Amino acid sequence: SSPAGLGLAFPVIEALHGYPGTPESWIRRLDIAGYLDREIAAGRMAPTVVLLPYQTPDRLLDTECTNLVGGPQAETYLTVDVPAWARNHLRVRADRAAWALAGYSAGAFCAANLVLKHPGEYAAAASLSGYSDPGITIGDKSEKTTNNIAWRLTHLPRPPVALWIGWADDDTDARAGSRQIVALAQAPITVVTATVPHGGHSHAVWKQM
C-alpha cells in the first residue's frame, strides 16, 4: 500500500469544511495542526495524514459534497479523485480501515453521508454539528432519497461503519438532525455521541469537539 522502499504507510482522514468556508478554516480557526501534534505526541492518536480538500470549486455554490446535476461532481472528486491523488503521491494505506472522513456543519453532513454511500472506501466518519439532510436542491431529487441520511438509514441496508456524532445542545437544527441520525443508525453501524452544553453553531464549539 506504499511505494517500495519508503517504509511505514499512514492512515488518512479527509477533513471537510463548512459552507460558506474553505479548508483554511481548519488551520486558522480550528488549529487542526496543533491538535494533531498534541494528540499524536501524547500517543492518543496514530501518526495520520489529514487531507483538507475543497468541497466546492465556487465559494458561493453549496454542493454539500454531492454530484450536482449539471454542476460540480463534488462527491466523485472527494471519494475518487482525492484518494487516488493521495495514494499516488503520499505514503498512505489503501485499506478501508485506514480511511475516515470528518467535517463540521455542511462538512459534517458530507462526512456522514459519504461514509454511508462509500463504506468500501471509508470505515468511519466524524460529524461535528451536522444534519440528516443536505438542505439544497441537487437536481435529481436525491436530497430526499439517496443523499438524505435519514432516508438511507431507514430504507437501505446499513453498512458496518463507525460514526462519531457531536452537537451543541443550544444548536437547535444540528441537535435535531444529529439526534435523528443517532436514533436511526442501528447495528452494524456503531455510534459514539458527544455534546457541548452551549456555544451554538460555531468554531468555538468545533474546537471543543
Side-chain angles (χ1 to χ4, degrees), residues 7-62:
L8 184 65
F10 300 99
V12 182
I13 298 170
E14 285 187 59
L16 306 169
H17 61 83
Y19 175 83
T22 68
E24 283 81 7
S25 292
W26 281 105
I27 299 165
R28 294 176 183 162
R29 303 194 69 178
L30 297 178
D31 185 32
I32 189 174
Y35 282 101
L36 289 165
D37 286 346
R38 288 189 288 275
E39 293 302 299
I40 292 168
R44 290 186 292 264
M45 178 179 180
T48 301
V49 170
V50 179
L51 307 173
L52 302 173
Y54 283 88
Q55 57 121 309
T56 177
D58 180 346
R59 290 184 64 164
L60 299 180
L61 178 64
D62 186 6

Side-chain angles (χ1 to χ4, degrees), residues 146-161:
T146 54
N147 278 305
N148 183 299
I149 293 169
W151 186 92
R152 292 191 73 87
L153 292 174
T154 303
H155 293 93
L156 298 179
R158 300 181 184 100
V161 297

Side-chain angles (χ1 to χ4, degrees), residues 93-147:
R93 286 168 50 184
D95 56 307
R96 71 176 288 272
W99 281 74
L101 298 144
Y104 64 87
S105 191
F109 167 81
C110 292
N113 190 45
L114 293 178
V115 79
L116 293 174
K117 296 185 76 176
H118 301 274
E121 305 297 324
Y122 305 95
S127 164
L128 286 62
S129 305
Y131 310 98
S132 58
D133 66 82
I136 63 169
T137 299
I138 294 169
D140 58 3
K141 296 185 169 57
S142 65
E143 65 271 10
K144 299 182 185 301
T145 57
T146 54
N147 278 305

Side-chain angles (χ1 to χ4, degrees), residues 11 23 41 49 76 81 89 98 136 168 180:
V49 170
T76 299
D81 299 339
H89 292 87
I136 63 169
Q180 184 179 31

Side-chain angles (χ1 to χ4, degrees), residues 59-97:
R59 290 184 64 164
L60 299 180
L61 178 64
D62 186 6
T63 70
E64 297 291 312
C65 307
T66 65
N67 287 340
L68 296 179
V69 174
Q73 304 296 287
E75 177 181 348
T76 299
Y77 171 70
L78 293 167
T79 62
V80 177
D81 299 339
V82 170
W85 181 90
R87 287 190 292 267
N88 287 331
H89 292 87
L90 305 172
R91 285 193 287 135
V92 299
R93 286 168 50 184
D95 56 307
R96 71 176 288 272

